[in-house]
Amino acid sequence: YCVHAGAGDFSLGSSVTIPAGTTLPTDGSHCVAVSGTEDTLLEGDEAFGARISGTDQSAVVSVGASDTATVTITDNDAGEVEVAAASVGITEGGAAGSVCVVLTGTTGSPTELANALAVSVTSVLNAEAGAGDFSLGSSVTIPAGTTLPTDGSHCVAVSGTEDTFLEGDEAFGARITGTDQNSVVSVGASDTATVTITDNDAGEVEVAAASVGVTEGGAAGSSVCGIDGNNWLSY
């Protein structure tokens, strides 16, 4: 019977013969062969049960409680996920951008993803952008049946939060932290995209007065002042 594996994923013998004259208890050397079928699916390990269903001498030889062995097929295919682009640009208060991921096969040359893959993404803060300066999706799903390598169309949304600060452009990291199939899909070296938020606020500075008078050897006059849109600045 199948737990995860399908009938086409393995080959299992159907009968084993214990010869006449065999000493009891037997030594465990009477077996059926079992093998895993080669494929190009990125699917992870699979399991199924090999169960004793009966004997041809059921009147005297019954099937005991330990009637099933769980057979695990270790997948010989592996892949890795990375960001599709190292840098992403968005505008404060503007349309959302995208941080996209790419899934490629690394071992066994898999060509298709067997089961839907969830990729986790988190932000990496720095001295420029804070958590309140943006919104970033936390997970992207690559559907089952997707051809490998993927085309970079599987993305999380990212947007810059509108504010009234004159602060200049800010940047933060969007990092892949893992997948829900870590046993077969690892995170590659290119795990982080730098997201730059372009500030949509601007100001200007001017002199407060076109002329200033002072007396030679006299007291200092007023500083030349300006305004940047929000605050007076002294020079």
Side-chain angles (χ1 to χ4, degrees):
Y1 71 97
C2 298
V3 180
H4 301 295
D9 293 325
F10 59 89
S11 175
L12 174 67
S14 60
S15 178
V16 56
T17 299
I18 302 176
T22 300
T23 302
L24 303 185
T26 60
D27 59 4
S29 62
H30 305 94
C31 312
V32 294
V34 60
S35 59
T37 305
E38 181 64 83
D39 61 32
T40 57
L41 296 174
L42 185 60
E43 58 198 341
D45 296 348
E46 302 168 288
F48 67 94
R51 177 176 292 161
I52 300 173
S53 57
T55 76
D56 63 353
Q57 300 179 36
S58 56
V60 291
V61 180
S62 61
V63 178
S66 299
D67 62 349
T68 302
T70 298
V71 182
T72 300
I73 308 169
T74 300
D75 192 8
N76 64 350
D77 301 297
E80 69 176 14
V81 63
E82 297 180 313
V83 294
S87 60
V88 176
I90 56 176
T91 299
E92 175 188 308
S98 298
V99 176
C100 302
V101 301
V102 175
L103 174 63
T104 57
T106 56
T107 303
S109 301
T111 60
E112 183 179 338
L113 180 64
N115 305 298
L117 177 73
V119 181
S120 299
V121 179
T122 192
S123 60
V124 181
L125 303 181
N126 53 39
E128 295 182 13
D133 293 325
F134 59 87
S135 174
L136 175 67
S138 60
S139 179
V140 55
T141 298
I142 302 176
T146 300
T147 300
L148 304 185
T150 60
D151 58 5
S153 64
H154 305 96
C155 313
V156 294
V158 59
S159 58
T161 305
E162 181 64 84
D163 61 33
T164 57
F165 291 110
L166 187 61
E167 57 198 342
D169 296 347
E170 302 168 288
F172 68 96
R175 176 175 295 164
I176 300 171
T177 57
T179 77
D180 63 351
Q181 297 179 40
N182 286 326
S183 62
V184 289
V185 180
S186 60
V187 178
S190 299
D191 62 350
T192 303
T194 298
V195 182
T196 300
I197 309 169
T198 300
D199 192 8
N200 65 349
D201 301 298
E204 66 180 13
V205 63
E206 299 177 322
V207 293
S211 60
V212 177
V214 294
T215 300
E216 179 184 309
S222 299
S223 298
V224 178
C225 300
I227 188 169
D228 68 354
N230 292 298
N231 302 297
W232 284 94
L233 305 174
S234 296
Y235 297 88

